Amino acid sequence: MSTKARTVAEIGLLLYPDCQLSAIYGLTDLFRIANDIARAASPTDVHAIRVSHWRQEQGGLIACIFDTDPGAPHALTHVVAPPSLIVPEQMQKMTAFSDWMLGLHRGGTTLCSVCAGAFVLAETGLLQDRAATTHWAFAETLASRFPAVQVDAGRMLIDDGDIITAGGILAWTDLGLTLVERLLGPSVMLNTARFLLIDPPGRAQRPYEQFVPKLGHGDAVILATQHWMQATGAKEISVAALAERAGLEERTFLRRFKQATGLRPTEYAQQIRVAKAREALELTRTPVDQIAWHVGYGDASAFRRIFQRVTGLGPAEYRRRFGVASERSVALA
């Protein structure tokens, strides 16, 4: 005679407009696999995670449209706002969802978000004065729209107990495994990760970040400087030389450059050089010291320190994780 599983949590997944359905169904599958692993490990004392999907109906009512344990009274312990398939600037306000989530939180429900789902969660006001993460490309928008949120896009997941935020668009795997570990234990979590061939939680976003320069600021003089820096690889530059090239007094140049780009010229140059180094590490087998020299660093040890600070990984570790070049790949010219 089979033993009926005891529900340890009900996780509600939000189907808001333009949400990423692969995250909804992926999390549903991940929790089902974790439940199966838990059942196999302890067939006489089965614990299980219940999953339900929630959508806004006409009139603003939030209703359940899918349930792994239909008919049983709902007792949502966790609610997850998944990623969006559109950029945050195009997302509509989710007042009905945020009000619903706020009420659940008052009753003890843990609220979670993944990627742009942080914007839905932030509408509750519960992220005020809290650390939260989102996709690195959306971090500035989140900080601008909700200035009281302490946005930390370098982290893939921030677990603040009653609020959990995850960063990248596929960070729902990190969130899912974190919840499995919390609810079913570390052994079930690790076996679930092994079965799905995904890394356990603990990654950072910084190695995945891409330098995206701000070019739409409207300052033509600074834009011309940016174009020149990009074209030359930002090698052998000085603030004085850049200011002279821009035809500005040095202090004025520094102020306008920081206002337009969000970075000091030296920081901007480092981003350009590191981006070129990342490409070389990914696509070639060129020695690290040679890459350092090629992108403008005469001191290889200084390059390693800067690369580590920007990406969170040393050059050798970065190549090990992201390199796609074979041993026969052509080195840098």
Side-chain angles (χ1 to χ4, degrees):
M1 185 163 116
S2 62
T3 303
K4 181 174 174 57
R6 180 169 66 87
T7 299
V8 295
E10 180 183 357
I11 299 177
L13 308 177
L14 302 187
L15 278 83
Y16 62 82
D18 297 305
C19 71
Q20 185 194 43
L21 294 179
S22 60
I24 297 289
Y25 296 119
L27 280 168
T28 302
D29 291 344
L30 185 151
F31 294 132
R32 175 177 175 173
I33 290 166
N35 286 341
D36 290 343
I37 290 172
R39 183 178 295 108
S42 182
T44 60
D45 185 21
V46 183
H47 297 165
I49 296 171
R50 177 184 179 185
V51 180
S52 51
H53 298 176
W54 299 78
R55 183 176 64 195
Q56 181 181 348
E57 305 290 1
Q58 288 188 344
L61 176 69
I62 308 299
C64 177
I65 61 167
F66 170 83
D67 191 350
T68 56
D69 190 9
H74 290 290
L76 286 163
T77 57
H78 300 76
V79 167
V80 179
S84 171
L85 290 177
I86 59 176
V87 295
E89 290 81 359
Q90 298 175 5
M91 291 173 65
Q92 59 184 267
K93 287 185 70 67
M94 309 287 178
T95 305
F97 278 118
S98 59
D99 289 348
W100 181 71
M101 293 165 70
L102 187 58
L104 289 170
H105 183 264
R106 292 193 185 107
T109 301
T110 297
L111 302 183
C112 313
S113 67
V114 183
C115 192
F119 290 80
V120 182
L121 181 51
E123 287 188 29
T124 65
L126 294 170
L127 292 183
Q128 184 167 341
D129 299 323
R130 287 183 185 245
T133 189
T134 185
H135 192 290
W136 58 265
F138 305 151
E140 187 173 331
T141 304
L142 182 65
S144 175
R145 189 175 302 178
F146 302 97
V149 179
Q150 299 169 14
V151 181
D152 184 356
R155 297 163 68 181
M156 189 70 77
L157 187 139
I158 297 177
D159 185 348
D160 203 23
D162 61 324
I163 300 285
I164 305 174
T165 55
I169 196 166
L170 292 179
W172 57 263
T173 61
D174 299 81
L175 174 63
L177 291 175
T178 295
L179 294 178
V180 168
E181 181 175 25
R182 176 182 292 188
L183 300 169
L184 299 178
S187 177
V188 173
M189 182 276 288
L190 288 171
N191 284 326
T192 302
R194 290 189 188 103
F195 184 83
L196 292 172
L197 298 180
I198 55 179
D199 291 334
R203 298 181 297 157
Q205 278 203 92
R206 269 197 298 165
Y208 302 91
E209 290 180 12
Q210 179 182 5
F211 175 53
V212 181
K214 295 181 181 179
L215 303 175
H217 44 71
D219 190 327
V221 172
I222 299 302
L223 181 61
T225 302
Q226 291 174 263
H227 286 163
W228 182 81
M229 292 174 72
Q230 197 73 51
T232 60
K235 298 179 182 178
E236 301 178 5
I237 63 165
S238 68
V239 173
L242 289 173
E244 183 179 358
R245 183 179 184 83
L248 297 172
E249 189 269 334
E250 191 170 323
R251 184 184 301 178
T252 302
F253 172 76
L254 282 170
R255 175 180 54 80
R256 284 174 58 174
F257 193 95
K258 178 68 181 294
Q259 184 177 25
T261 69
L263 298 170
R264 294 189 293 271
T266 51
E267 295 170 332
Y268 196 93
Q270 286 177 358
Q271 290 287 350
I272 291 175
R273 293 177 183 181
V274 168
K276 291 184 178 299
R278 289 166 74 142
E279 183 177 359
L281 290 166
E282 292 165 4
L283 302 179
T284 77
R285 302 296 301 176
T286 303
V288 172
D289 287 7
Q290 188 177 339
I291 290 174
W293 177 84
H294 187 81
V295 301
Y297 290 97
D299 184 347
S301 61
F303 164 73
R304 285 181 169 85
R305 288 195 300 273
I306 291 169
F307 192 92
Q308 173 92 35
R309 185 170 68 245
V310 172
T311 69
L313 298 173
E317 174 65 11
Y318 185 89
R319 170 173 274 162
R320 188 187 70 78
R321 289 183 57 177
F322 299 104
V324 296
S326 69
E327 293 294 338
R328 294 185 177 182
S329 296
V330 178
L332 290 171

